[in-house]
């Protein structure tokens, strides 16, 4: 031991830092990888059998590498001092107060990491921005690092992460591309080459793209903006489909067969969620505004507005179909995570739909295979400001169910808000029999067989599908 090819440390043991470093450790057995965090509980969880996040395949990779060449630690100073290459993978949330509040990304954590690196380093290092940041953040990081009084030289690289939650391990094992940006100087190019070598252990060279710093930083924001734009575009069309009796899935199939458009990311839904899309588009919008590009800013802001519209359109529809009132009615919510195969609830569409229904005084019985009650209640407060104060009796109005059948028992309606595969396979006849009548089902993910639901007797609705005649 100790004869390592390279020593890597990652600051930030979250959804990105943990899985990314676990995969590097698995693919590069001769590289020592340490993941550090300021949160002791987070590190304790990574060192336990109950990892802090759920991702298919993650547990296996961590168990295979932990204690061999993958280490989780709170000893930030020692790990950083010993590292050759430091990834900064800390959270960069939207600013809540001050200049740019509600839009600009807060890069405070990145700056704190840079200060820590400058303070404890005794040798030159490569610092890699893994976090999603506003363009030119590398410049700020570089300037903070340059303030060290030991004459140490640092190189700063941008290496944005493109993994999606729920498929993080597959995405990391077989990435469509890896993007590395750096200074176009001899030292900068050498640093880029060092990071290229790490990924080249398992990623074909032609998929490792290298570029300058600012293009790399900006590409991350633009990638998410384009992806989210596709979801908002198809969601906007879902409203038109409902008005015209066209079927959004058929429209998506027809346009997606054009190779120039492509079939992915055209699944109409109750709205996109997750910690990235909204934050990163707002970041882009703010950036455009700060360069006086008002029209460009407004263009991208529309993607968010359409998403907000889709979420409120769905909850309003539930109320209007249920005879304009859900007060006191029991509604089963299937799914609280922002997408399937993750327990992550950040910015989930579900929380906004639930908040709107709670404001109508509905009683919600929520079932999600991976989300705990504690997490759900935190999300209510964090994303929507919903607390006992804003919705008196909140704790009694939101009940968490152990299974879908329990959630649906006696309910007036079911709302499908996450596309978990298991939701497709439930015994909907049994569910229908246990519900109050008429029994409504609102499919916000278009995953159920509408014809079958109709045969069972449900009053059914799905996003962007032809409406029932009486609706
Ligand atoms: N979640 C995703 O799917 C995803 C994908 C691509 C990119 N990103 C970007 O990656 C970054 C990290 O996202 P995440 O989802 O992993 O966040 P996260 O909140 O899950 O994890 C961030 C971790 O950083 C730690 N941290 C904060 N300040 C620190 C410091 N000074 N020193 C050490 N640790 C510190 C926090 O305690 C936390 O555990 C963000 O910029 C995000 O936009 C996220
Ligand atoms: O056709 C679609 C595709 C997605 N969604 C929704 O869009 C959101 C985001 O989904 P997805 O992009 O699959 O998950 P994320 O984990 O948020 O990943 C995005 O955000 C990450 C963080 O920046 C990037 O790294 C990824 O490349 C980017 O896909 C979820 O609510 C999905 O349900 C739809 O409604 N319809």
């Amino acid at each position: 031991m100790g004869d390592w090819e390279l020593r890597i440390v990652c600051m930030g043991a979250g959804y990105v830092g943990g899985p990314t470093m676990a995969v590097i450790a698995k693919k590069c057995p001769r590289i020592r990888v340490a993941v550090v965090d300021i949160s002791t509980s987070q590190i304790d969880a990574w060192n336990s059998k109950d990892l802090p996040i759920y991702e298919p395949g993650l547990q296996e990779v961590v168990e295979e590498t932990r204690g061999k060449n993958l280490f989780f630690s709170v000893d930030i100073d020692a790990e950083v001092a010993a590292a050759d290459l430091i990834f900064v993978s800390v959270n960069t949330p939207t600013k809540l107060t001050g200049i740019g509040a509600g839009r600009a990304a807060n890069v405070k954590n990145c700056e704190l990491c840079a200060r820590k690196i400058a303070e404890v380093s005794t040798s030159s290092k490569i610092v890699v921005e893994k976090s999603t940041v506003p363009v030119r953040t590398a410049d700020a990081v570089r300037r903070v690092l340059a303030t060290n009084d030991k004459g140490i030289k640092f190189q700063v690289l941008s290496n944005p992460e493109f993994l999606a939650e729920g498929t993080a391990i597959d995405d990391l094992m077989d990435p469509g591309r890896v993007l590395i940006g750096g200074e176009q100087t001899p030292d900068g190019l050498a640093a880029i080459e060092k990071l290229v070598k790490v990924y080249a252990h398992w990623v074909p060279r032609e998929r490792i793209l290298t570029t300058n710093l600012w293009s790399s930083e900006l590409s991350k924001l633009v990638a998410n903006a384009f992806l989210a734009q596709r979801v908002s575009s198809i969601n906007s069309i879902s409203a038109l489909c409902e008005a015209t009796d066209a079927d959004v899935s058929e429209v998506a199939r027809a346009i997606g067969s054009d190779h120039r458009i492509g079939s992915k990311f055209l699944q109409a839904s109750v709205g996109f969620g997750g910690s990235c899309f909204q934050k990163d588009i707002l970041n882009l919008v703010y950036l455009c505004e700060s360069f006086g590009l008002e029209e460009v800013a407004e263009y991208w802001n529309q993607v968010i507005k359409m998403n907000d519209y889709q979420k409120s359109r769905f909850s309003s529809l539930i109320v209007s179909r249920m005879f304009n009132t859900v007060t006191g009615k029991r509604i089963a919510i299937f799914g609280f995570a922002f997408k399937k195969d993750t327990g992550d609830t950040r910015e989930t569409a579900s929380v906004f739909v639930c908040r709107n229904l709670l404001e109508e005084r509905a009683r919600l019985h929520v079932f999600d295979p991976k989300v705990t009650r504690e997490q759900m209640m935190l999300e209510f407060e964090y994303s929507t400001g919903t607390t006992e104060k804003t919705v008196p009796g909140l704790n009694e109005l939101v009940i968490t169910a152990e299974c879908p059948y329990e959630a649906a028992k006696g309910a007036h309606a079911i709302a499908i808000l996450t596309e978990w595969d298991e939701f497709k396979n439930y015994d909907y006849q049994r569910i229908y029999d246990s519900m109050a009548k008429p029994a409504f089902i609102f499919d916000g993910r278009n995953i159920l067989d509408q014809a079958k639901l109709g045969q069972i007797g449900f009053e059914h609705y799905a996003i962007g599908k032809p409406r029932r005649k009486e609706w």
Side-chain angles (χ1 to χ4, degrees):
M1 298 294 274
D3 192 15
W4 301 104
E5 181 184 316
L6 193 74
R7 283 172 168 264
I8 290 180
V9 67
C10 174
M11 304 177 84
Y15 281 88
V16 171
T20 311
M21 294 304 124
V23 169
I24 292 183
K26 179 183 163 68
K27 296 292 186 180
C28 315
R30 297 208 41 249
I31 294 182
R32 185 186 189 277
V33 183
V35 190
V36 296
D37 204 290
I38 43 172
S39 160
T40 308
S41 60
Q42 186 79 351
I43 292 297
D44 286 348
W46 279 109
N47 281 321
S48 77
K49 63 178 182 21
D50 295 317
L51 301 185
I53 61 173
Y54 170 73
E55 271 296 333
L58 174 65
Q59 187 95 24
E60 290 84 341
V61 180
V62 170
E63 280 171 7
E64 187 187 326
T65 49
R66 195 172 51 193
K68 290 189 185 130
N69 65 329
L70 176 67
F71 305 91
F72 294 95
S73 167
V74 283
D75 194 349
I76 300 180
D77 293 16
E79 291 292 353
V80 166
D84 306 300
L85 203 145
I86 304 168
F87 283 93
V88 176
S89 186
V90 294
N91 40 329
T92 48
T94 305
K95 277 183 83 173
L96 297 175
T97 53
I99 299 167
R103 282 168 304 158
N106 194 339
V107 291
K108 172 194 81 168
N109 293 335
C110 294
E111 186 183 326
L112 286 174
C113 287
R115 289 187 186 280
K116 173 57 80 182
I117 295 167
E119 176 199 330
V120 303
S121 293
T122 50
S123 57
S124 356
K125 295 177 195 310
I126 298 173
V127 176
V128 185
E129 280 175 357
K130 185 54 109 178
S131 297
T132 305
V133 291
V135 186
R136 301 203 73 87
T137 300
D139 193 34
V141 170
R142 196 164 46 193
R143 282 164 56 198
V144 171
L145 290 170
T147 60
N148 80 84
D149 51 12
K150 292 160 271 186
I152 303 170
K153 289 218 162 62
F154 293 94
Q155 271 299 322
V156 179
L157 299 179
S158 157
N159 172 220
E161 184 48 59
F162 297 105
L163 69 81
E165 288 180 29
T167 54
I169 297 299
D170 287 348
D171 294 345
L172 289 164
M173 297 267 203
D174 187 22
R177 85 300 207 183
V178 167
L179 182 61
I180 302 173
E183 259 190 301
Q184 302 297 297
T185 58
D187 286 350
L189 294 171
I192 291 178
E193 194 45 36
K194 204 155 190 174
L195 186 54
V196 167
K197 268 197 182 149
V198 172
Y199 285 107
H201 278 87
W202 78 100
V203 182
R205 284 266 177 163
E206 64 276 13
R207 281 201 235 156
I208 307 177
L209 313 182
T210 59
T211 183
N212 61 60
L213 277 167
W214 322 128
S215 306
S216 175
E217 288 179 335
L218 183 58
S219 297
K220 173 64 198 177
L221 299 182
V222 175
N224 274 354
F226 269 61
L227 289 169
Q229 182 201 41
R230 282 176 72 91
V231 179
S232 274
S233 295
I234 199 70
N235 281 345
S236 74
I237 298 304
S238 74
L240 187 57
C241 285
E242 288 165 33
T244 56
D245 275 357
D247 179 331
V248 75
S249 309
E250 291 301 305
V251 174
R253 186 163 70 98
I255 64 164
S257 319
D258 183 331
H259 294 303
R260 293 170 302 173
I261 296 175
S263 59
K264 296 193 175 138
F265 263 73
L266 289 180
Q267 177 66 47
S269 67
V270 57
F272 62 73
S275 63
C276 296
F277 278 0
Q278 171 150 324
K279 162 177 82 73
D280 295 348
I281 296 177
L282 289 172
N283 188 344
L284 187 67
V285 167
Y286 183 70
L287 206 61
C288 294
E289 282 173 355
S290 45
F291 287 107
L293 302 169
E294 293 300 331
E295 286 78 3
V296 186
E298 188 41 41
Y299 176 76
W300 289 107
N301 199 34
Q302 200 59 35
V303 173
I304 307 269
K305 278 193 188 166
M306 183 51 62
N307 198 47
D308 290 341
Y309 167 71
Q310 187 75 346
K311 291 182 277 189
S312 61
R313 191 170 84 79
F314 190 77
S315 47
S316 301
L317 195 126
I318 294 179
V319 177
S320 70
R321 297 301 163 234
M322 295 179 73
F323 318 115
N324 290 315
T325 176
V326 290
T327 305
K329 287 182 183 165
R330 178 168 170 166
I331 300 180
I333 302 292
F334 284 8
F336 201 81
F338 82 98
K339 64 185 281 197
K340 72 172 180 178
D341 293 338
T342 177
D344 195 351
T345 61
R346 292 178 287 181
E347 299 284 340
T348 175
S350 197
V351 79
F352 296 97
V353 172
C354 289
R355 187 267 320 266
N356 293 351
L357 295 174
L358 285 170
E359 282 176 353
E360 299 284 339
R361 306 296 293 169
R363 294 181 295 129
L364 306 181
H365 288 243
V366 189
F367 171 71
D368 187 288
K370 287 286 173 213
V371 178
T372 61
R373 180 179 181 81
E374 188 194 4
Q375 177 60 30
M376 196 181 300
M377 299 319 270
L378 278 174
E379 195 60 50
F380 269 116
E381 181 166 2
Y382 184 76
S383 276
T384 66
T386 306
T387 58
E388 275 286 333
K389 259 195 192 142
T390 61
V391 176
L394 179 66
N395 262 308
E396 289 75 48
L397 288 173
V398 179
I399 307 286
T400 29
E402 287 296 313
C403 83
Y405 299 99
E406 183 190 315
K409 199 170 171 200
H412 296 82
I414 299 171
I416 312 262
L417 299 180
T418 310
E419 74 281 21
W420 285 100
D421 287 333
E422 65 175 76
F423 292 173
K424 297 177 195 165
N425 303 321
Y426 294 157
D427 181 348
Y428 281 95
Q429 181 68 58
R430 176 179 160 199
I431 286 177
Y432 176 80
D433 292 343
S434 75
M435 290 174 67
K437 307 293 179 318
F440 292 86
I441 191 157
F442 299 92
D443 184 354
R445 294 289 184 167
N446 283 352
I447 54 171
L448 302 183
D449 181 341
Q450 293 297 310
K452 209 166 150 199
L453 295 175
Q455 281 160 17
I456 293 174
F458 278 106
E459 300 260 351
H460 56 100
Y461 162 87
I463 298 266
K465 299 285 175 176
R467 289 210 183 160
R468 294 167 58 88
K469 291 289 165 278
E470 62 274 26
W471 287 5

